[in-house]
Each structure stands twice: as structure tokens, then as C-alpha cells.
Amino acid sequence: MPIKNYISPIQMERIEESERAKALLNAGIDLFGIYGIKGTKTRMLADESGSNSAAVTYYFGSKQGLYFATMDHIVDGILEMTNPFIEVIEEKLKSGLNKKEALDEFQNLMEGFCELFIEDNGLERWTNIILREHASPTEAYDIFYDRYYKRTQNIMRELIGNVTDQDSKSDEVMILAHAIFGQTLGFLIARESLERGLKGKKIKKNHHGIMQETIRINIQAMLGRG
């Protein structure tokens, strides 16, 4: 869903120029993530942002408009983090890859995500909203999927299809891509469980190499190229 479908050009201009609008977006990240769109009241958003209830309507049209804009803001942040390594892989795919090169690029893709998921970069703060949308999708999920994740899925499918000689559009390849990506995603959404299992140790640089090597071994095993 393009942002223009729920935010008017005038409102877009207001948002871009206003610190108050940015404060409402930040309040939305935290409150929508905890309570969801139904459980979050306009007054809660106003109080959290140091604003007033009328500001939500002024900048975003409605609470739902703020919710959509919050997801759009999150996707902007994700794209800023992921584009540097995803765009490199996209260019290589356009040039053509043999099986070994496709496997290497798939590993690079997963290791790139792994690095993001274990760094202190704000992703954890966005996770609650994204998980809520996966569990009970609203129209806001279209923003996440169409602007970001669909592209990632297509890259994974194309690389796996190349490595395994399968149709990249097949159900088998889609499920395999989902399963492999899920292993990497676990370092973000189940980080607390991992750190408790590490006897309360915070994930540090010395853990990064272990995680990435584990992912590399699993990819080789699952794609039958070990």
C-alpha cells in the first residue's frame, strides 16, 4: 500500500517539517508495539509524545493513519539498513551466477541479516509491531510486505532455485527459503532466550562468528551442497 493512499500531500509536508509529528511516530512505535492499534488510545499517543489528541488528526488524519505511517517509518529504517548488501546481491543476480556463486551470495545474504539482528541498531524496538502484524495482519502488513519483504523473498527464491536446480517459484523453494530465514530471524525475535541460555551474557562480538558459521553450516546442509 503506497503511503499516498493514507497520507495526503499536505499531511506529508507537515510530517516532514514537524518535530511533533516525529515524536508521534516514535510514540507509535512503542505503544502500537505493546498494545496494538486497538489497545492504543489517541490520548496515550498524545501523552507519550508530549502533544495533544488533535495533533494525531492534524498530521496523520486519524489513529489508523498514524499506525500506517509508523509501519512505513519502520520499513524506511529497515531498507536503510539492508539495501547496502541486498543491492549488491541483486546486481550480481542480474549478471548471472553459477551454483557456487549463488550459494555464496545466499550465505552472504543470511550473514548480512544475522549481523543486523544481533547489533544494537533499533531493530528490537520495531519487532513488536512486526510480530503483531505477522500474527494478526492488518492493512499495515501490506506496507511491510510490499515495500520490503517481498523483495527479500524473491532474492532468496532465485538464489535457492539456482543452487538446487529447482523452479524458484515452486512451493518447495518458498518453504525452504522461509525455513532458512527463520533460523536467522530467531537471533532477533528470540534474543532474550538465547542470552538467558548463555547464563545471562549479552551477545557480543565473539558470538557473531559462531552464529554466522552455524548459519553457514545449516545452509550448506539444507541446500544439499555440504
Side-chain angles (χ1 to χ4, degrees), residues 117 119-128 188 191-192:
F117 292 162
E119 288 182 346
D120 184 13
N121 52 21
L123 272 175
E124 284 186 284
R125 187 166 170 247
W126 303 336
T127 301
N128 285 343
L188 175 63
R191 183 169 182 161
E192 181 66 21

Side-chain angles (χ1 to χ4, degrees), residues 49-112:
S49 65
S51 185
N52 56 57
S53 297
V56 174
T57 303
Y58 179 75
Y59 290 109
F60 301 97
S62 64
K63 181 179 73 172
Q64 185 180 50
L66 174 55
Y67 186 66
F68 291 160
T70 299
M71 179 60 82
D72 207 66
H73 177 71
I74 288 171
V75 172
D76 283 343
I78 293 173
L79 291 174
E80 185 177 345
M81 293 179 187
T82 58
N83 275 342
F85 61 89
I86 286 181
E87 288 176 351
V88 170
I89 295 172
E90 285 178 324
E91 287 303 312
K92 291 183 179 180
L93 277 169
K94 289 177 185 176
S95 301
L97 298 170
N98 61 38
K99 292 181 188 298
K100 182 182 182 305
E101 290 169 338
L103 178 60
D104 288 343
E105 292 307 321
F106 189 83
Q107 290 171 331
N108 290 338
L109 181 65
M110 292 301 103
E111 288 173 13

